[in-house]
Amino acid sequence: MAQSDTVDETRRDFLFVATGAMGVVGIGAIAWPLIDQMNPDASVLSLSSIEVDFEAVEVGQAITVMWRGKPIFIRHRTAEEIRVAEETPLDILPDPETDMARIERSQWLIVIGICTHLGCIPKGQSIGDERGEYGGWFCPCHGSHYDTAGRIRKGPAPKNLYLPPYAFLTDTSIKIG
Amino acid sequence: MAIRSACLSLGIVLALALAGPAQAESGSGKVETQKWSFGGFFGTFDRAQLQRGFQIVKENCAACHSLEYVYFRNLGEPGGPEFSLEEVKALAADVEVIDGPDEAGDMFERPGLPSDLMPSPFANDNAARASNGGAMPPDLSVIAKSRTYKRGFPNWLFDLFTGYQEQGADYLYALLIGYNEAPAEFNLLEGLSYNTVFPGHQIAMPSPLFEDGVEFNDGTKASVEQMSRDVSAFLMWAAEPHLEARKRMGFQVIIFLIIFAGLFYATKKKIWSRVKH
Amino acid sequence: MSGQSTYTPGSGFARWFDERLPIMRLMHDSFVDFPNPRNLNYWWTFGGILSFLLVTQIITGIILAMHYTPHVDFAFGSVERIMRNVNYGWLIRYSHSVGASMFFLAVYIHMGRGLYYGSYKAPREILWILGVIIYLLMMATAFMGYVLPWGQMSFWGATVITNLFSAIPLIGTGVTEWLWGGFAIDNPTLNRFFSLHYLLPFMIVGVVILHIWALHVPGSNNPTGVSVKDKEDTLPFHPYYTVKDGFAVVVFMILFAYFIFFNPNILGDAVNYVPADPLSTPPHIVPEWYLLPFYAILRAIPDKLGGVVAMFGSIAVLAMLPWLDRSKVRSAVFRPIYKQFFWIFIIVFLILGYLGSQPPEGWYLLISRIATAWYFAHFFLILPLIGLLETPRPLPESITKSVLGSAAGGAPSGSAASPETKG
């Protein structure tokens, strides 16, 4: 009698645990679509990487493209700008980084055009814009100066301009994102 | 009196033919159930068929009909025609897309990208009507779900439980192969075509498909029958791009639920065995 | 919600909490230790199934509202974007649209069970009337929800139904234009329907709480219709009915899943995949299947105002049911004549549903008039007459006796032939 009771109890426990476990799995499986629906949808994701061709950008010029709702600055640097950027000693930089670490090909500087201070868009893309004391970009909101490698040199911004993930497809085109 | 009623019935026929959308139910006894690769509980699309279907849409239909909810990228996604990424890019780049405004405030044209919706052939509905003798070519994005035909008793009852959801594709196929000479006594209106399954039998769209009207890369013979079948399949996919994922997930869910119900029943029996009932 | 509470807080914190907000006590007494008749069959699981469906509809609805745009120019397109772009958007949207049909299927079974077993009779009249109110709210919610995708049937269904109000004498036109916010169905109408479609389900939740409250005062009816006499006749809600209801919900989900995954559009109308066009009316305007019987009644009456009155009357008559049925015996099991007329009524209701989908002409019209007449006669003539003329079969002495039979030592069932009195 006692024997069969234990067997019965084991069977019952197994049943309860198995049913409960399936219930938990089922609820989890239902929950996922309900959560995932708030993630960026297919039409947003299809814009999350863009291809940019900048063959027409002459030395000294710059273009701005939008990527994931942010401006991307692409500047065709002059030899002088490259030289200055490379020769700047690291110890005078608030956020030390070599020029090499910030570029793939030295004539093309590609940065996210958002001031690392409070998110304004720095000036220096259009001809005639103020480019700040270091010839890169100047943020008019609180006076941050960036150099020709997009590094912070003077003003309240704590970091260099961030770099987007990108790869060269050809000599004059890249894929961002 | 006779003249008046004749005018009235003509008016009704004309309204039916021109108003176009979805009066598919009445007057079409000739739609037959076709066998489709995407039918049934485990159906999947035939990739080659969808690719041929897209080619027909691109070369034949797109001059008048829009496909406004379909993106070029959809053509490369799993469960669809599954063109390669390069093919999708090339197909998109084939068309000019209006973008803008640019810095000067002007709209400009650029080659399409996979992330673009397929552009419409007309700027708006009125332009579409004006170019097509007053009848607006309907958008094709969901046309395979918006058309049906009378199934009759008891078919509609069986349809509930056999998973039959290809009414639209069956109807479109029957419509496309349904162009015919009007019977002698039929009073066909100027500018309309006779169709055996279209409600009222007068359709503003002239027969759109011709033998060898397109040249398929895969060597399939482009008969009207073949093209009608391929384009109907493509439109079913365009209307329901997640059909394959839906059926696959459905199978998993139903299996899970059946096992779960079985366990639940055993648990219920176990608990209720404590009392007489 | 009735009787002595059996809740004992399991910890010091639970006791502290219980003295301040006895919600755990309420839950325990309502859904754990609540005494339910021991003989409930599976027809009684539809209350649980409906609760599950209500929650499902609210969750999927809130999600759809995150992606939907209530504007005449964008509504149709935003639904298509949900179907195509949003992660699992097709699953959530189909769950919601199929869910509406499942909700009505379950509620019809739930109501049919109430009719068959006499669950509307004293002391459960308020419970029944609250149910009728829930049903009305459901119809209003479903109707407004159907307008939101802004397809052809959305538009023309809304036109036809809102025009019903123009039948009201004197103020009809004013009321209709007030509903529309214009001189035809247009953007203001779509906007307010969206707002109300979001509101009404929460009102349903409120009335459902009252419905359960009103249920827990007298307790559930049961297949014999005999009132609970002592503790022997009942079982605690948990685990007996939680597991039985849970099992029924899972079985119902199989049907639900079948429609979502394998036939999501069959319960709807194909024409609703054509964007709304105010200049072209589809040849057959039909409501969704669950409203067809009432649509048939509307069209059976050759007078506009008369049709509208008959349609609303056909639902209002349900609220009067507890006083129209004069029989003291609840369950149709012991009412041989009523049982037959119950099934005739169900068939008439199904016939009305079929006729609602057919054009109102010829034989269809004639039959729909006969069926409509029968529908009302069932409530106003047949039920009162059966109550007077029928001799009920002998009732079991108690629920326990009916379950265990005479083996439990009960008297032969013949000895208990007294009609039920208020329990």
Side-chain angles (χ1 to χ4, degrees):
Chain A
M1 190 66 196
Q3 185 76 39
S4 74
D5 266 6
T6 9
V7 170
D8 210 43
E9 229 161 70
T10 320
R11 215 187 78 162
R12 193 188 64 194
D13 287 349
F14 168 76
L15 255 182
F16 291 179
V17 169
T19 311
M22 276 200 94
V24 170
V25 169
I27 288 168
I30 289 172
W32 174 243
L34 305 184
I35 294 164
D36 190 37
Q37 51 85 20
M38 277 171 73
N39 276 319
D41 72 22
S43 62
V44 175
L45 290 178
S46 70
L47 296 170
S48 66
S49 73
I50 57 168
E51 289 175 16
V52 188
D53 188 333
F54 38 73
E55 202 182 347
V57 182
E58 303 284 341
V59 175
Q61 289 185 339
I63 56 165
T64 308
V65 295
M66 292 302 286
W67 171 73
R68 296 189 186 174
K70 300 178 183 118
I72 303 294
F73 293 166
I74 301 172
R75 183 181 285 189
H76 197 166
R77 298 193 292 184
T78 61
E80 174 65 9
E81 284 172 335
I82 297 169
R83 192 186 59 76
V84 171
E86 282 173 350
E87 289 175 1
T88 307
L90 286 187
D91 53 359
I92 64 164
L93 295 173
D95 181 15
E97 237 184 326
T98 63
D99 186 55
M100 279 299 283
R102 296 180 55 78
I103 46 130
E104 295 249 336
R105 300 191 186 181
S106 56
Q107 66 270 40
W108 298 107
L109 176 65
I110 297 157
V111 295
I112 297 175
I114 293 178
C115 182
T116 57
H117 179 223
L118 290 170
C120 296
I121 311 292
K123 294 217 164 289
Q125 282 296 91
S126 308
I127 298 160
D129 266 8
E130 155 121 65
R131 287 189 165 184
E133 290 174 22
Y134 298 88
W137 290 274
F138 170 70
C139 181
C141 291
H142 304 93
S144 293
H145 298 256
Y146 295 91
D147 69 11
T148 55
R151 292 174 296 200
I152 180 65
R153 298 298 288 272
K154 185 179 170 188
K159 292 285 195 183
N160 302 331
L161 291 177
Y162 293 116
L163 307 173
Y166 67 89
F168 274 86
L169 298 171
T170 67
D171 281 348
T172 54
S173 71
I174 54 167
K175 181 179 182 178
I176 307 176
Chain B
M1 190 64 204
I3 295 172
R4 223 183 83 190
S5 71
C7 287
L8 195 68
S9 55
L10 268 182
I12 291 167
V13 168
L14 188 66
L16 271 174
L18 296 184
Q23 284 84 355
E25 277 184 34
S26 56
S28 55
K30 299 173 195 82
V31 181
E32 276 167 24
T33 313
Q34 302 295 318
K35 202 163 163 44
W36 299 102
S37 69
F38 48 86
F41 293 102
F42 304 98
T44 53
F45 289 109
D46 174 348
R47 313 282 162 234
Q49 183 171 50
L50 292 191
Q51 297 198 358
R52 290 195 300 270
F54 177 69
Q55 190 184 344
I56 300 162
V57 167
K58 186 176 171 234
E59 294 175 13
N60 273 35
C61 317
C64 301
H65 290 278
S66 58
L67 207 56
E68 62 173 322
Y69 299 115
V70 181
Y71 296 84
F72 284 106
R73 63 179 162 80
N74 293 144
L75 296 170
E77 286 168 359
E82 297 188 2
F83 285 103
S84 71
L85 185 58
E86 274 58 47
E87 288 171 314
V88 172
K89 280 183 183 169
L91 287 169
D94 263 3
V95 299
E96 292 292 314
V97 173
I98 295 171
D99 201 348
D102 62 12
E103 281 146 19
D106 299 321
M107 303 304 278
F108 58 93
E109 286 199 339
R110 60 164 174 79
L113 292 170
S115 56
D116 285 318
L117 286 163
M118 298 198 178
S120 300
F122 301 104
N124 52 56
D125 290 357
N126 286 351
R129 277 193 198 94
S131 309
N132 288 282
M136 192 177 85
D139 181 69
L140 298 183
S141 310
V142 283
I143 200 154
K145 285 199 287 191
S146 71
R147 297 296 190 272
T148 186
Y149 60 100
K150 212 171 174 63
R151 293 284 289 160
F153 183 82
N155 283 343
W156 64 263
L157 206 56
F158 296 151
D159 290 347
L160 277 178
F161 299 102
T162 52
Y164 175 64
Q165 46 192 297
E166 294 85 41
Q167 294 94 329
D170 287 342
Y171 172 76
L172 293 175
Y173 172 74
L175 180 89
L176 288 171
I177 60 165
Y179 283 88
N180 231 328
E181 283 295 310
E185 72 281 6
F186 193 86
N187 186 8
L188 190 67
L189 289 175
E190 180 75 28
L192 300 181
S193 304
Y194 186 81
N195 189 293
T196 49
V197 299
F198 192 75
H201 302 303
Q202 310 205 61
I203 185 167
M205 173 172 75
S207 177
L209 302 173
F210 299 97
E211 183 97 6
D212 294 321
V214 296
E215 196 174 320
F216 292 128
N217 291 331
D218 61 4
T220 307
K221 168 102 177 96
S223 63
V224 170
E225 194 272 345
Q226 181 68 42
M227 289 193 282
S228 303
R229 189 172 289 277
D230 292 346
V231 84
S232 302
F234 175 81
L235 291 174
M236 187 70 222
W237 168 78
E240 192 74 3
H242 298 294
L243 180 141
E244 284 186 22
R246 167 158 67 74
K247 289 186 175 179
R248 193 168 53 239
M249 189 190 290
F251 180 68
Q252 294 160 348
V253 166
I254 299 248
I255 293 293
F256 176 89
L257 285 175
I258 287 172
I259 297 171
F260 190 28
L263 271 176
F264 223 124
Y265 184 67
T267 304
K268 185 249 161 198
K269 259 185 81 169
K270 200 78 210 165
I271 287 173
W272 278 77
S273 68
R274 297 172 198 167
V275 293
K276 282 216 165 81
H277 60 279
Chain C
M1 288 177 185
S2 64
Q4 204 66 35
S5 176
T6 56
Y7 177 69
T8 41
S11 68
F13 173 75
R15 195 173 322 113
W16 179 88
F17 196 89
D18 185 57
E19 282 160 8
R20 284 155 183 80
L21 180 68
I23 188 164
M24 295 310 289
R25 178 179 299 276
L26 180 72
M27 287 299 159
H28 182 270
D29 294 343
S30 306
F31 302 108
V32 177
D33 212 34
F34 185 77
N36 244 11
R38 62 191 299 159
N39 60 337
L40 299 188
N41 57 31
Y42 275 104
W43 299 112
W44 260 265
T45 60
F46 280 84
I49 290 169
L50 283 162
S51 309
F52 159 76
L53 287 168
L54 179 58
V55 172
T56 305
Q57 288 302 83
I58 288 179
I59 291 175
T60 52
I62 288 171
I63 287 172
L64 290 172
M66 293 180 190
H67 304 282
Y68 169 77
T69 311
H71 186 285
V72 290
D73 292 336
F74 306 113
F76 190 88
S78 72
V79 172
E80 272 312 304
R81 270 185 281 281
I82 290 169
M83 295 292 291
R84 288 158 193 272
N85 294 343
V86 173
N87 303 319
Y88 298 104
W90 59 269
L91 174 60
I92 293 161
R93 196 259 174 149
Y94 278 153
S95 299
H96 198 70
S97 61
V98 172
S101 281
M102 293 296 114
F103 210 145
F104 276 92
L105 175 67
V107 93
Y108 281 128
I109 295 173
H110 193 63
M111 292 162 80
R113 193 268 315 187
L115 288 175
Y116 186 82
Y117 293 110
S119 300
Y120 47 85
K121 291 186 190 181
R124 299 185 181 86
E125 300 97 321
I126 298 290
L127 169 64
W128 175 260
I129 290 169
L130 287 169
V132 175
I133 292 170
I134 293 170
Y135 178 56
L136 279 171
L137 287 171
M138 276 173 64
M139 291 206 284
T141 310
F143 160 67
M144 287 192 255
Y146 194 58
V147 176
L148 302 185
W150 209 242
Q152 273 289 64
M153 208 52 96
S154 299
F155 183 90
W156 293 101
T159 302
V160 168
I161 300 296
T162 50
N163 264 313
L164 294 181
F165 293 93
S166 70
I168 305 171
L170 300 176
I171 55 165
T173 312
V175 169
T176 319
E177 285 171 1
W178 173 75
L179 282 172
W180 288 339
F183 303 104
I185 302 265
D186 208 335
N187 202 48
T189 328
L190 178 61
N191 261 288
R192 64 192 58 183
F193 278 15
F194 177 57
S195 171
L196 293 173
H197 181 71
Y198 206 116
L199 168 71
L200 285 185
F202 295 98
M203 292 177 66
I204 294 178
V205 170
V207 185
V208 165
I209 290 171
L210 295 181
H211 191 65
I212 295 173
W213 190 0
L215 171 70
H216 283 192
V217 174
S220 286
N221 185 28
N222 66 82
T224 64
V226 175
S227 293
V228 169
K229 295 215 167 60
D230 57 32
K231 214 169 161 359
E232 269 276 272
D233 290 343
T234 68
L235 292 170
F237 192 82
H238 181 74
Y240 293 99
Y241 286 103
T242 43
V243 73
K244 190 168 183 171
D245 282 1
F247 168 64
V249 167
V250 173
V251 172
F252 192 83
M253 282 172 85
I254 296 176
L255 179 74
F256 193 178
Y258 162 75
F259 279 111
I260 292 173
F261 293 106
F262 294 109
N263 230 339
N265 293 309
I266 194 121
L267 298 168
D269 200 306
V271 177
N272 222 30
Y273 279 105
V274 178
D277 179 358
L279 297 176
S280 138
T281 310
H284 304 299
I285 301 179
V286 281
E288 292 290 83
W289 68 268
Y290 39 80
L291 301 177
L292 287 174
F294 303 102
Y295 193 56
I297 291 174
L298 169 77
R299 297 188 306 177
I301 311 287
D303 173 70
K304 183 174 177 181
L305 180 59
V308 174
V309 168
M311 186 179 74
F312 285 109
S314 64
I315 299 160
V317 69
L318 291 172
M320 295 147 68
L321 183 57
W323 295 277
L324 290 172
D325 184 353
R326 308 298 304 165
S327 173
K328 290 268 189 266
V329 176
R330 293 198 186 101
S331 172
V333 173
F334 304 101
R335 300 184 61 193
I337 300 177
Y338 173 70
K339 191 196 274 182
Q340 290 173 27
F341 280 97
F342 168 83
W343 288 113
I344 293 171
F345 177 74
I346 297 296
I347 291 165
V348 167
F349 193 69
L350 292 176
I351 289 173
L352 278 171
Y354 179 73
L355 294 170
S357 71
Q358 300 302 319
E361 56 203 22
W363 282 103
Y364 292 135
L365 190 59
L366 181 67
I367 299 171
S368 69
R369 287 187 177 152
I370 295 170
T372 301
W374 186 277
Y375 182 98
F376 285 102
H378 178 82
F379 291 105
F380 288 114
L381 274 177
I382 298 170
L383 279 186
L385 278 178
I386 300 175
L388 288 176
L389 302 176
E390 183 181 52
T391 314
R393 287 173 46 210
L395 290 175
E397 203 172 302
S398 73
I399 292 171
T400 310
K401 294 247 167 65
S402 82
V403 170
L404 306 178
S406 50
S413 53
S415 66
S418 67
E420 254 305 291
T421 50
K422 279 190 188 182

